Amino acid sequence: MLKVCSVLPVYNERENIGRLIDELLAAATPDYDYMVLVVDDESPDGTADVVRERMARYNAAAEQVALLYRTNDKGLTKAIQAGIDTAIETYGADIVTWMDCDGSMPPAEVPNLVSLLIQDPTVAVAVGSRWTGDGADEGHGFMARTLSWIINTFAKVWTGGKLTDYTSGFVAARKAVLTQIRLNGDYGEYCIDILNRAERQHTVQEMPYVCVPRWAGESKTGANLWDYLVKGRKYVRTIVTLRRELGYFSG
Ligand SMILES: Nc1nc2c(ncn2[C@@H]2O[C@H](COP(=O)(O)OP(=O)(O)O)[C@@H](O)[C@H]2O)c(=O)[nH]1
Ligand SMILES: [Mg+2]
């Protein structure tokens, strides 16, 4: 049976991670073997204790919840990459998904993202988009939405890609793509990089989703103009590098 693993990168998400695990496991369909792998970078707030409690609750019959507790080389992109590697090498995942773990991305939509890959063998990556169809960004204010729209338009026009949400972070991908393309960058720019590299060689399918405010706790990135400009510089650098390295792509 196909194995699907959702990698859940967390830092100080004690108030959100238990609910997210519950909702992901409740939404899973019997079409495949499903598990979640939480990747915690030594959160001081006790996030891992909540995960261990869920492991005790859910793992009696089969391992549905696992924890990768990292004490070195911290950071969001490295956490997701470590989770992807563990999902494939240790848990034998054929498909890996990942998402933010603050409630801003809908756990109930994960099976829909996965089914885009299962129903069509030519689709290699499925990605949630706030900027297509019924998608929306209700989780951010006007400034963040506008900057995100500018970055996404720039990514599309400058690289020649076709996607509408390169900074999504809500992704499901086949093992074959993930063993071929590794994540580059520190934070959200890794997503622009992997999606653009993937769409040059494979079919990447978007699925509309509505991003909502985090359930509880605080954003790690901050939300003032300076934080966005610092983040934006890295995004722009990634887009320029993609065009320089790979050229303009008109697929
Ligand atoms: N493992 C790990 N997860 C992180 C790190 N930084 C942020 N995260 C997680 O990444 C996701 C997005 O972070 P969030 O604070 O919501 O940032 P924002 O959405 O950009 O405001 C959440 O699930 C965080 O818990 C980190 O350094 N390590
Ligand atoms: Mg967030």
Side-chain angles (χ1 to χ4, degrees), residues 208-231:
Y209 87 96
V210 179
C211 173
V212 296
R214 60 165 45 245
W215 287 333
E218 288 191 356
S219 162
K220 262 59 80 195
T221 29
N224 61 44
L225 184 59
W226 178 251
D227 294 324
Y228 285 123
L229 290 178
V230 170
K231 220 162 50 164

Side-chain angles (χ1 to χ4, degrees), residues 95-251:
I95 291 173
V96 180
T97 87
W98 64 92
M99 66 200 294
D100 287 1
C101 303
D102 56 356
S104 61
M105 297 172 182
E109 295 285 340
V110 170
N112 298 334
L113 210 52
V114 171
S115 79
L116 291 176
L117 299 179
I118 292 181
Q119 316 244 299
D120 184 346
T122 66
V123 176
V125 179
V127 57
S129 170
R130 297 161 290 178
W131 310 115
T132 192
D134 296 335
D137 187 351
E138 296 170 359
H140 295 96
F142 178 75
M143 181 179 69
R145 279 206 311 272
T146 306
L147 290 172
S148 174
W149 184 84
I150 292 170
I151 283 291
N152 275 299
T153 305
F154 178 50
K156 191 180 162 95
V157 169
W158 194 255
T159 65
K162 279 206 215 117
L163 305 177
T164 60
D165 198 349
Y166 284 94
T167 54
S168 159
F170 189 29
V171 184
R174 289 184 198 281
K175 173 182 160 181
V177 178
L178 295 171
T179 47
Q180 179 201 5
I181 308 175
R182 296 187 71 77
L183 309 193
N184 287 313
D186 297 324
Y187 209 72
E189 68 275 16
Y190 85 82
C191 196
I192 305 175
D193 187 90
I194 188 176
L195 291 178
N196 190 245
R197 287 178 197 275
E199 74 177 322
R200 289 166 187 265
Q201 304 171 57
H202 308 280
T203 302
V204 178
Q205 168 102 47
E206 285 190 322
M207 178 194 83
Y209 87 96
V210 179
C211 173
V212 296
R214 60 165 45 245
W215 287 333
E218 288 191 356
S219 162
K220 262 59 80 195
T221 29
N224 61 44
L225 184 59
W226 178 251
D227 294 324
Y228 285 123
L229 290 178
V230 170
K231 220 162 50 164
R233 258 186 56 207
K234 292 190 178 172
Y235 290 9
V236 169
R237 202 187 302 142
T238 293
I239 295 164
V240 170
T241 303
L242 284 165
R243 176 160 168 148
R244 199 184 300 134
E245 267 183 28
L246 306 175
Y248 182 82
F249 155 73
S250 56

